Amino acid sequence: MNGKSLLLRALRLQPNPRPPVWLMRQAGRYMAEYRAVRENVSFLDLCRNPRLCAQTMADAVGVLDVDAAIIFSDILPILVPLGFDLEYTPGGGPVIANPFRGEDDLARIPAALDPDRIGFVFETVSETRRAIPGEKALIGFAGAPWTLASYAVEGGSSRRFIHTKTLMRRNPRLWSALMDRLTDAAAVSLLGQIEAGADAVQIFDSWAGALGPADYETYVFPFMEKLLARLGGRVPVIYFAAGNPALLPAAARLDADAFGIDWRIPIERAWEIIGANRAVQGNLDPTVLLAGQETIFAETDRILNAVGSRPGFIFNLGHGVLKETPVENAVALVRRVKEFAVSSS
Ligand code: 1CP
């Protein structure tokens, strides 16, 4: 069975001969091919070059032989047509010169994003479809409203999210207005990617774990509900809220087809919380790939033995591949998962 079928069957909870496998951030600085591309082009220019994005991901898929490609792009370029001045510093970190801090900042954000402003993302989907083998699945993606808001309000990466949390508590009305616009933008992006040929989409809520469950319910959950309703079940949706397993009971009430799980909770325990009627993706700690092969295989086998034969399981890391990762370790991991056979008994 080919990789595309394995992934789509897992997302529909149909039995598979082995779990599908792909890695978050599977194309990136840990790969020589990617570093070579980046010698000649800035990161933002790369994101706006569909041909080069497609080639970048196709190269990574070729090296790893994973079952799925995610488009090469980023969650943040969508902030540019929303009126934010985004740059990536030479060190790689995103910086927004005009963060969202008050009432006045709302005026510059369109209430509805014109899809033509992010046409390069949709072209990346169609170019990537052409660049990868037909038997691989293609995944589109966007940042979740909360995670996008955290960059828009903090003005870059953050550890404590002070400005974002203060805004949401002090001015819930303005918070809702901002979140509505980010929700719309994410929906416009994902719907365009689906139209352009994405087999499934993933929503990255990378910093959801900065919130406790009550704040997640109040300030984030309603917008995730709206976003998923806009997508309307056209293709399977994977929701990845990282950082705090205590959010899982709330997140599991969302109408997503699959849930990404980080390494902070045993995957079988996460699946109990989420419920057997949804697919689950995860959850190897990315730092395991910095260890020796024996450790990599032991940790991989632990996950496979716990859930590898269950319909609806997708093998992945619990977060993105680290730039320090030896490529051969990522290759060995993928091969190990592919050797796992679900027994028919
Ligand atoms: O060359 C470089 O230095 C750029 C590094 C880089 C890369 C390779 C960034 C900057 N983004 C990406 C690609 C990327 N980002 C992909 C496609 C490639 C792939 O998956 O192989 C995807 C799906 C993302 C998604 C993304 N971007 C997320 C969600 C996933 C996650 O890791 O949590 C987030 C939070 C971002 C923001 C971002 N992009 C780049 C940086 C340095 C950051 C900030 C991260 C932070 O705040 O710590």
Side-chain angles (χ1 to χ4, degrees):
M1 199 178 290
N2 72 35
K4 179 168 163 170
S5 308
L6 290 170
L7 185 83
L8 290 174
R9 288 178 62 83
L11 288 166
R12 295 188 206 109
L13 290 159
Q14 293 162 342
N16 268 332
R18 64 155 174 93
V21 52
W22 68 281
L23 308 178
M24 291 189 278
R25 294 279 187 116
Q26 61 195 9
R29 282 210 200 149
Y30 79 110
M31 266 196 189
E33 290 82 355
Y34 175 78
R35 291 194 300 271
V37 167
R38 283 280 282 103
E39 271 180 24
N40 306 309
V41 59
S42 74
F43 179 67
L44 257 183
D45 285 344
L46 170 56
C47 288
R48 292 184 182 127
N49 183 332
R51 278 271 171 84
L52 204 48
C53 285
Q55 195 51 52
T56 299
M57 186 51 68
D59 286 345
V61 169
V63 169
L64 297 170
D65 200 19
V66 277
D67 295 308
I70 190 162
I71 58 163
F72 189 91
S73 192
D74 198 57
I75 63 166
L76 299 175
I78 200 168
L79 294 178
V80 175
L82 298 182
F84 293 93
D85 299 328
L86 169 71
E87 269 185 74
Y88 292 85
T89 60
V95 176
I96 289 157
N98 56 346
F100 187 98
R101 293 288 165 81
E103 211 74 49
D104 295 349
D105 295 313
L106 199 59
R108 62 181 152 97
I109 309 180
L113 175 63
D114 174 0
D116 289 347
R117 298 289 309 276
I118 52 167
F120 59 92
V121 179
F122 312 144
E123 273 176 55
T124 295
V125 173
S126 43
E127 290 286 342
T128 308
R129 183 71 276 174
R130 274 192 280 278
I132 60 170
E135 68 262 21
K136 308 285 186 191
L138 180 57
I139 302 171
F141 75 91
W146 156 261
T147 290
L148 292 174
S150 79
Y151 287 99
V153 177
E154 301 297 331
S157 304
S158 181
R159 285 174 63 84
R160 294 181 298 161
F161 304 93
I162 288 174
H163 296 289
T164 317
K165 290 184 177 183
T166 303
L167 175 74
M168 76 187 191
R169 294 202 176 92
R170 281 208 179 161
N171 196 340
R173 198 196 45 75
L174 184 61
W175 174 253
S176 291
L178 171 64
M179 288 289 276
D180 272 335
R181 284 167 203 218
L182 296 170
T183 301
D184 168 77
V188 167
S189 178
L190 292 171
L191 287 168
Q193 293 179 55
I194 293 166
E195 187 135 320
D199 297 310
V201 292
Q202 175 153 327
I203 301 170
F204 284 97
D205 219 347
S206 304
W207 310 123
L211 295 166
D215 285 336
Y216 178 85
E217 294 254 7
T218 307
Y219 299 108
V220 174
F221 185 86
F223 303 95
M224 280 306 304
E225 273 190 314
K226 284 190 206 179
L227 176 54
L228 291 163
R230 282 274 298 271
L231 301 183
R234 283 172 181 79
V235 298
V237 180
I238 306 163
Y239 177 52
F240 175 53
N244 182 1
L247 303 181
L248 283 177
R253 299 202 330 267
L254 290 166
D255 190 17
D257 300 274
F259 291 86
I261 306 297
D262 70 23
W263 63 90
R264 294 172 180 92
I265 181 169
I267 194 139
E268 62 275 27
R269 174 74 195 114
W271 213 334
E272 271 171 34
I273 297 168
I274 285 159
N277 57 341
R278 283 4 140 68
V280 156
Q281 171 176 284
N283 76 336
L284 186 73
D285 185 333
T287 60
V288 168
L289 288 180
L290 309 180
Q293 263 188 29
E294 239 173 79
T295 307
I296 295 170
F297 291 164
E299 293 297 303
T300 300
D301 291 356
R302 200 167 50 77
I303 294 170
L304 289 169
N305 290 328
V307 294
S309 39
R310 280 180 64 168
F313 178 59
I314 301 159
F315 195 99
N316 207 315
L317 304 179
H319 211 141
V321 178
L322 299 165
K323 70 174 189 305
E324 296 80 1
T325 304
V327 174
E328 62 272 22
N329 287 0
V331 172
L333 164 67
V334 171
R335 205 176 297 139
R336 186 72 169 191
V337 178
K338 288 181 157 188
E339 282 163 9
F340 181 81
V342 172
S343 63
S344 50
S345 58

